[in-house]
Amino acid sequence: MAEKILTITEVTAMHSDNVCIAGVNFNLACIRPVLSRGQIKKSHLFKSEKLIIYPGAEVLFNLLSADPHPPHIEDWIFDGSIAYKGKVTENAWRDLLDKTSSNSFAELFPNMQERYVPPDSTGPSIGGLLPKEIVIDYDSYYNRLRMVIVDKTGIRKERVPITDFAFRNLFFKHMLNKLGGREAVIELNNKISEREICLRLGLSRPYLNAPVPYSGWCCLQVNGIHTLPDLYDGDYSRWITLE
């Protein structure tokens, strides 16, 4: 058993009350804690009703063994115990995002074709990207939040699903209800355009319903949207909730 403190880089919304979390250790290696059985639940993000797992939080995990499933090479089984150790400073957070980010899709995911990576290919499955441009898009028909991403080499990816837990709640539970779809998207894009942006991008597990010829491949998704100044004013507890 090895106790490791991770700085959380993303909290990802999944089906039902399941979530995915990831962070980096003191060597800036990315680790995705997973349970040996079952999924991590929203309830794991809290202790005594207080949010303890959120981007920028320092959290202690008892990591038992690596459990890679390429391209998901970052998986480590942990025993379920979690201890909150505080929060990184703004300067340390900025430095971490900068040092763990790439400037291009090709640098981050060298095996990617369109928005898909073949299963069993070499990793990574998680990483940071400092984009040239992003645009938020809301598909009202399917009620889905997506992103257009242009990297610093000019490569463009469209319709990338947004799975960032806090960002989705900010949009769906606050802005969408308050403003409606079109106005909410305009306001959100305006807010983001005024800030420095770092994305945390990830790959889904193999997805059988991906379009031919990518059926069974891993799909690109936006795990985390981090801005400076912070969209959440340093308080994720309003947007990462059990409800």
Side-chain angles (χ1 to χ4, degrees):
M1 182 181 296
E3 292 187 333
K4 299 291 183 182
I5 293 178
L6 303 182
T7 302
I8 303 301
T9 51
E10 51 235 276
V11 178
T12 304
M14 299 177 70
H15 296 296
S16 186
D17 65 342
N18 299 330
V19 296
C20 180
I21 57 179
V24 298
N25 64 15
F26 72 98
N27 287 323
L28 299 182
C30 186
I31 292 174
R32 180 192 292 110
V34 297
L35 296 169
S36 59
R37 294 184 179 181
Q39 299 284 334
I40 296 176
K41 304 294 184 181
K42 291 178 185 178
S43 58
H44 286 97
L45 307 178
F46 297 81
K47 186 171 184 178
S48 300
E49 300 184 353
K50 180 180 179 180
L51 180 67
I52 62 170
I53 297 181
Y54 57 87
E58 295 187 304
V59 182
L60 180 70
F61 295 87
N62 288 325
L63 301 177
L64 304 178
S65 60
D67 187 36
H69 301 275
H72 298 84
I73 60 173
E74 301 86 1
D75 293 7
W76 274 76
I77 295 173
F78 78 109
D79 65 0
S81 61
I82 299 167
Y84 181 68
K85 294 297 181 179
K87 177 183 178 182
V88 296
T89 66
E90 182 176 332
N91 286 339
W93 180 239
R94 179 190 292 265
D95 188 55
L96 181 153
L97 293 177
D98 184 61
K99 288 181 177 178
T100 59
S101 295
S102 302
N103 291 316
S104 70
F105 293 109
E107 182 182 352
L108 180 54
F109 299 124
N111 298 309
M112 180 171 287
Q113 299 180 32
E114 299 295 335
R115 291 189 288 115
Y116 305 94
V117 171
D120 300 323
S121 63
T122 56
S125 69
I126 304 177
L129 181 78
L130 301 175
K132 179 181 179 181
E133 179 185 359
I134 69 169
V135 179
I136 306 300
D137 184 32
Y138 171 60
D139 185 335
S140 59
Y141 184 81
Y142 291 103
N143 197 34
R144 291 174 180 169
L145 197 59
R146 298 184 181 272
M147 182 182 288
V148 177
I149 309 170
V150 181
D151 73 13
K152 291 188 176 179
T153 70
I155 298 299
R156 180 185 181 96
K157 306 289 184 184
E158 298 187 358
R159 296 179 55 79
V160 183
I162 297 173
T163 57
D164 181 318
F165 191 144
F167 193 86
R168 287 177 57 82
N169 276 351
L170 171 65
F171 181 81
F172 284 110
K173 293 189 176 182
H174 176 66
M175 300 185 71
L176 183 61
N177 293 335
K178 179 181 178 182
L179 300 172
R182 182 175 179 275
E183 290 75 14
V185 167
I186 291 172
E187 181 170 323
L188 197 48
N189 279 309
N190 287 339
K191 285 179 178 290
I192 288 176
S193 68
E194 300 168 351
R195 293 166 161 83
E196 296 178 56
I197 302 163
C198 176
L199 301 178
R200 294 292 298 180
L201 302 181
L203 301 177
S204 72
R205 303 295 172 169
Y207 182 52
L208 294 178
N209 291 329
V212 176
Y214 306 114
S215 177
W217 289 33
C218 304
C219 308
L220 180 67
Q221 59 189 30
V222 182
N223 289 353
I225 303 169
H226 303 313
T227 66
L228 296 168
D230 179 29
L231 273 175
Y232 311 100
D233 297 323
D235 181 12
Y236 280 90
S237 62
R238 187 178 176 189
W239 309 113
I240 298 180
T241 62
L242 285 169
E243 294 81 19

